[in-house]
Amino acid sequence: IGAGKQAKPGTGKDVATAWLDQLRTTLEANPDVAVALTPYGDPDVEGLVERGLTWSSELPTPDMSQHVLDALAGRPLDSSLAWPSAGAISQRTLGLLEKQGVSTVVLDSRSVAPRVVFPGLARLDANGKDIAAALTSATLEKYVRESITLDGIGARAMPNLIAELAMRTVQEHEVSHTVVLTPPRYVDPDVAAAVDTIRDTSLSPFARPRALATAVGGELQQVVGRSRLAQARPVTTSGTSDAAAHAANEAPAIRALLDRRDPAARAFVAGLPIAIQRAESAAWADKLFAGAAAAFANDLSTTVDAITTGVRIVSPKHNSYTLASNTADLPITVDNELPYAVNVRVKITTNPARLPGFSTKPLQ
């Protein structure tokens, strides 16, 4: 969104197009596969709540929504599932998620009390409404991560995963268990190993696959009473959070400054919330993206500062104004260094604040 910067085509278009085509083909061939979307940019919701920042669960533009609909083979844009990056959230965050239409959250089982031996589903209260919590197990997540890895150990890790699932069945064979399996958040799997993992955990004699939405509609009914959220663990934030906070704080002034009758100014104002939500992404906290995070944060802050400091009143030659009469013109020179048309309202004050014999009226 750099002010006055010329857009440059990105790279990887062919690879992205091929991936989206494959996704669409897969979904068309498997109508029972459910799809749920995290908010745009996958924001770190707990970190944002701690800092008093907001996010949107909806896609930023109609064009973007249409592109996603096409890629999902016509499936609805379902944002009723939340997967907080830290695996733990506060009650306040849960309430905000519920207000955005979230009805199911995926959480680390250690973030919910009372602790259970075999995590599965729990029922939480948010604003007087039931919210389903799909609880993950650190042990199972470790085995899933190892079983789909690209470094070739997937086949060796698979028996551990199957054994862990079987153990739950053996220890309490008289009741059914719901087990939540999720891939690593930023997954780049060995496709063959991932296929084997899905097949072997789905076709075992003691387990059958269920979509989360189906499980919530069924197994959740067996959950007696409500669980409560334990203390949310501290969230690691990156410099992008500071950039997002700075941009969000300056956004009202920028919207008032830029004249949206100018198409370029209108496009900049429309793009600012998108850039802010990108800065709020949980991915920036990953050490792998530290360099990219710093670059993005710097670019966002530099762009915002260029807008807020790009318009100023030029001081007169002798650094003072002379009023010849009550109705004399007062020439004001406004220097606009921005590539956009702006709205400017001049307000005259005196020092001291109440100067005898001097008064002004606001310009309309």
Side-chain angles (χ1 to χ4, degrees), residues 20-159:
L20 291 172
D21 288 342
Q22 184 179 10
L23 174 62
R24 185 185 305 108
T25 300
T26 301
L27 293 176
E28 288 173 344
N30 299 274
D32 293 335
V33 173
V35 178
L37 303 177
T38 56
Y40 177 76
D42 191 22
D44 173 16
V45 294
E46 183 62 28
L48 297 180
V49 171
E50 285 187 350
R51 300 199 58 168
L53 298 174
T54 61
W55 71 93
S56 173
S57 61
E58 298 180 355
L59 288 170
T61 67
D63 286 347
M64 198 177 292
S65 297
Q66 188 58 54
H67 286 315
V68 174
L69 277 172
D70 292 342
L72 298 183
R75 280 170 170 73
L77 303 181
D78 181 5
S79 298
S80 62
L81 174 70
W83 186 10
S85 59
I89 54 175
S90 63
Q91 188 64 39
R92 182 183 175 192
T93 302
L94 182 66
L96 292 174
L97 289 171
E98 186 279 326
K99 289 181 179 179
Q100 292 202 13
V102 169
S103 57
T104 304
V105 291
V106 180
L107 299 174
D108 188 316
S109 61
R110 293 167 293 188
S111 71
V112 174
R115 297 281 289 273
V116 292
V117 177
F118 295 133
L121 297 177
R123 190 193 309 272
L124 301 172
D125 175 76
N127 304 319
K129 298 180 181 179
D130 280 342
I131 299 294
L135 305 180
T136 62
S137 159
T139 301
L140 290 177
E141 296 300 287
K142 172 179 177 291
Y143 291 147
V144 170
R145 181 175 63 253
E146 292 176 348
S147 69
I148 64 175
T149 185
L150 282 166
D151 60 13
I153 69 170
R156 300 197 304 274
M158 180 65 70

Side-chain angles (χ1 to χ4, degrees), residues 138-215:
T139 301
L140 290 177
E141 296 300 287
K142 172 179 177 291
Y143 291 147
V144 170
R145 181 175 63 253
E146 292 176 348
S147 69
I148 64 175
T149 185
L150 282 166
D151 60 13
I153 69 170
R156 300 197 304 274
M158 180 65 70
N160 292 328
L161 176 59
I162 299 299
E164 186 71 22
L165 294 174
M167 183 186 69
R168 300 181 181 221
T169 303
V170 171
Q171 288 189 355
E172 289 187 280
H173 61 275
E174 71 279 1
V175 297
S176 62
H177 297 277
T178 300
V179 175
V180 179
L181 300 181
T182 64
R185 194 170 193 85
Y186 307 110
V187 61
D188 183 16
D190 179 319
V191 175
V195 169
D196 289 342
T197 300
I198 294 171
R199 183 190 62 237
D200 292 349
T201 55
S202 299
L203 300 181
S204 65
F206 49 80
R208 68 182 189 277
R210 299 288 297 276
L212 181 56
T214 303

Side-chain angles (χ1 to χ4, degrees), residues 331-362:
I332 301 291
T333 302
V334 177
D335 182 14
N336 178 15
E337 296 179 346
L338 305 179
Y340 313 120
V342 298
N343 300 307
V344 176
R345 174 173 292 183
V346 178
K347 180 181 180 181
I348 299 175
T349 59
T350 62
N351 187 15
R354 294 184 178 182
L355 185 65
F358 180 86
S359 64
T360 61
K361 294 181 180 180

Side-chain angles (χ1 to χ4, degrees), residues 256-317:
L257 173 65
L258 299 187
D259 188 341
R260 277 172 276 180
R261 291 173 295 184
D262 175 359
R266 187 165 60 248
F268 181 90
V269 171
L272 187 57
I274 302 175
I276 292 173
Q277 187 142 329
R278 285 178 183 167
E280 296 172 342
S281 175
W284 296 122
D286 194 304
K287 293 181 180 178
L288 290 174
F289 308 125
F296 187 88
N298 180 70
D299 196 28
L300 178 59
S301 294
T302 300
T303 298
V304 168
D305 291 341
I307 295 293
T308 55
T309 62
V311 180
R312 63 182 183 276
I313 293 177
V314 179
S315 298
K317 184 176 181 179

